[in-house]
Structure formats: structure tokens, C-alpha cells
Amino acid sequence: DYNEISNKVPRWDKLEKLFLAKCFSILEQRVVSHLALSAEERYNQFFELNPKLFNQVPLNQIASMLGMTPETLSRIRKKQSYIIEAQWYKEKQILEAQWQAEAIERLAQARAKEIEYEATAAIDYFKESLAIRKNIKDKSGRAESSYNLAKAYKFKGDLDSSDYYFEISSRL
């Protein structure tokens, strides 16, 4: 009985008032949302507040609670799925563009390293060829042919710099 509960629970009056105030607040929010919001806005608001409820309660009851027919709820959900799919596709395109930009940047860095290596190799080759010319103590014709031989070895990649210098020096 109601009087027994108020006698057994010392703060029953206060709890009852809080409960009724909460119920009226929820009811007021529902009335305002039904009057002020469109069906789609009510769906979005309800979904944000209760996403798990959509998997637990039949959709026709949710539609009734939101003040719409099950068909309207179905149309809204279908539209939302298209919007979500479009957002996902756009995010996918952005990610792919970022991945492509990163790949291009990595390729550019690799090519820059290759160019740096080639430039260093060319400078080293030039320095070594000058050293070979200075170390050859023969006539100019023989020096030129030794220089060309060194050049051929360097570009073939058969010998490293110390090997072809030794090879050329031993031929002189």
C-alpha cells in the first residue's frame, strides 16, 4: 500500500517528488521535440542518446515512440545509411590521396638520394681521374689512353676505384 511505503521508507516523499519531476521533464522534452523537430531530427537525436536501443527494441515500437510510421522510420534509416556510406567513401578517398602523397614523397626522397649518390660518384670519378693523370709519368698519348681505360672501368662497374688505379698503374 502507498501509505505503508511512505512509513517504511523515511525519505519516500522526497524520492517521489524527484521521480515525478524527472518524468515530467522527459515528457516535456518529448512534446517539444515532436512539435519543434522534424522526423529525421527526432530520429537523429534519439539515435545519439540511445544507439544500443535500436538493436534491442523492434523498430515499429521505436517509430511509435518517435511519433512516426514504421515506413517513415525505414526511409529515414535508408537515407542515413546513404549519408554514412557517402561519408565513408569521401574519407576513403582522402586516405587514398594521403597514401599516394606519402608514396610520391618517399619516391622523391629515394630519387634525391640516387641523384646525390650519382653526383658523389661523378665527383669521386673526376677526382680519381685527375689523380691518375697526375700519377702517369709518360707521354701525353699514353696518358690519354690510360685515362680512357680508367673511364671505361669506372662506368662498367667492374672494379672499384683502388682496383682500376692499380690496374692502370700496372699497365704503364
Side-chain angles (χ1 to χ4, degrees):
D1 196 28
Y2 185 76
N3 290 331
E4 277 183 46
I5 293 175
S6 65
N7 290 337
K8 288 182 181 179
V9 179
R11 297 187 327 173
W12 176 253
D13 292 335
K14 188 172 184 174
L15 289 173
E16 181 183 27
K17 287 178 184 177
L18 289 173
F19 177 74
L20 288 174
K22 182 70 172 173
C23 288
F24 281 121
S25 173
I26 291 171
L27 182 62
E28 182 183 28
Q29 287 174 355
R30 285 190 62 203
V31 168
V32 168
S33 73
H34 277 69
L35 295 173
L37 302 176
S38 68
E40 190 170 344
E41 291 169 333
R42 288 193 309 267
Y43 168 81
N44 290 334
Q45 185 181 49
F46 187 77
F47 185 77
E48 286 177 17
L49 295 174
N50 310 297
K52 293 180 181 177
L53 201 60
F54 280 84
N55 295 328
Q56 299 170 350
V57 177
L59 293 177
N60 62 347
Q61 291 180 357
I62 292 175
S64 175
M65 186 174 169
L66 293 173
M68 61 182 78
T69 64
E71 294 81 12
T72 301
L73 179 63
S74 178
R75 281 192 298 274
I76 291 171
R77 287 172 53 92
K78 186 176 181 180
K79 182 179 177 184
Q80 292 290 323
S81 70
Y82 286 138
I83 291 171
I84 290 170
E85 187 176 328
Q87 288 172 343
W88 175 83
Y89 183 72
K90 184 176 181 180
E91 289 173 6
K92 179 184 167 195
Q93 287 180 323
I94 291 169
L95 285 175
E96 286 176 352
Q98 288 172 346
W99 292 335
Q100 287 175 352
E102 290 170 3
I104 290 170
E105 184 177 340
R106 285 193 301 273
L107 286 173
Q109 289 172 353
R111 184 63 185 134
K113 287 180 181 178
E114 287 176 14
I115 291 170
E116 181 181 352
Y117 174 76
E118 290 172 0
T120 304
I123 291 169
D124 290 345
Y125 168 72
F126 180 71
K127 288 177 181 177
E128 290 170 7
S129 66
L130 287 177
I132 291 170
R133 282 189 173 185
K134 286 181 182 178
N135 289 329
I136 296 175
K137 296 180 181 176
D138 207 350
K139 301 273 184 194
S140 64
R142 185 150 171 119
E144 187 63 33
S145 64
S146 298
Y147 169 73
N148 288 334
L149 183 63
K151 187 175 173 183
Y153 275 125
K154 181 67 175 173
F155 284 117
K156 283 184 183 177
D158 294 336
L159 303 169
D160 67 5
S161 60
S162 61
D163 288 340
Y164 77 77
Y165 179 75
F166 176 74
E167 178 76 20
I168 293 168
S169 298
S170 64
R171 289 186 184 194
L172 295 178

